[in-house]
Amino acid sequence: MFKIGELAKQTGLSVEALRFYERKGLLAPAARAANQYRQYTEQDLNRLHFIQRAKQAGLSIKDIAELLKLRDNATSVRCNDVSRVVGQKLAKVQQQLRELQAFEAHLKKLHSECCGGEESAESCSILKALDDVME
């Protein structure tokens, strides 16, 4: 059994993060000892490691909650249910990457067309390009 501070130390999370996960339903409310301290189990520690790895993969709290629900009911759900959650996040990330690549291309074009000199910015090609009305 772990007290909240010990669990925080074991996971590298703050006590506030642990309480946040409890409020969001990712971590079940801890049992209380006779002294009213929260008591966490090894199962709670494993669940927090799962949450941390899911966060490192870029999954949202909502995604993590869904995956935890699927994990808790693994005997009655299918692998494709789990794959769907990750696939949806992957599609969002791929879309964001395409948007970032378009931003990058536009910024590169703006940057490359600018002289970057010490002249007055009155004739700066970047400012002119951004002032031009899109056709």
Side-chain angles (χ1 to χ4, degrees):
M1 296 293 260
F2 305 98
K3 292 181 189 172
I4 196 166
E6 295 167 336
L7 188 63
K9 189 181 285 190
Q10 285 277 331
T11 59
L13 295 168
S14 67
V15 169
E16 293 79 25
L18 297 177
R19 290 184 181 136
F20 172 79
Y21 290 150
E22 279 188 16
R23 284 192 307 275
K24 293 296 182 180
L26 300 181
L27 187 63
R32 300 276 182 162
N35 59 9
Q36 294 303 309
Y37 288 133
R38 287 178 165 103
Q39 294 286 299
Y40 295 92
T41 65
E42 193 73 30
Q43 186 177 5
D44 294 321
L45 177 63
N46 292 336
R47 190 173 184 91
L48 286 166
H49 287 308
F50 180 95
I51 293 167
Q52 287 178 298
R53 287 188 292 272
K55 281 185 60 74
Q56 288 171 349
L59 295 165
S60 68
I61 295 296
K62 181 182 172 195
D63 295 331
I64 295 169
E66 189 171 353
L67 287 173
L68 285 167
K69 188 175 183 179
L70 293 168
R71 178 181 178 247
D72 291 343
N73 298 293
T75 58
S76 61
V77 298
R78 296 180 311 244
C79 190
N80 65 0
D81 297 323
V82 178
S83 179
R84 176 188 42 80
V85 175
V86 173
Q88 289 171 346
K89 181 63 176 187
L90 177 60
K92 286 179 187 175
V93 168
Q94 289 170 332
Q95 177 60 37
Q96 289 171 328
L97 285 171
R98 285 189 294 274
E99 290 170 4
L100 286 171
Q101 288 168 339
F103 294 154
E104 179 187 34
H106 190 73
L107 290 169
K108 279 182 176 179
K109 184 177 185 318
L110 286 172
H111 189 259
S112 70
E113 292 176 357
C114 180
C115 71
E118 294 295 321
E119 302 82 28
S120 164
E122 289 178 306
S123 61
C124 179
S125 63
I126 294 173
L127 296 178
K128 285 182 180 182
L130 295 174
D131 274 334
D132 283 346
V133 176
M134 300 294 279
E135 295 180 21

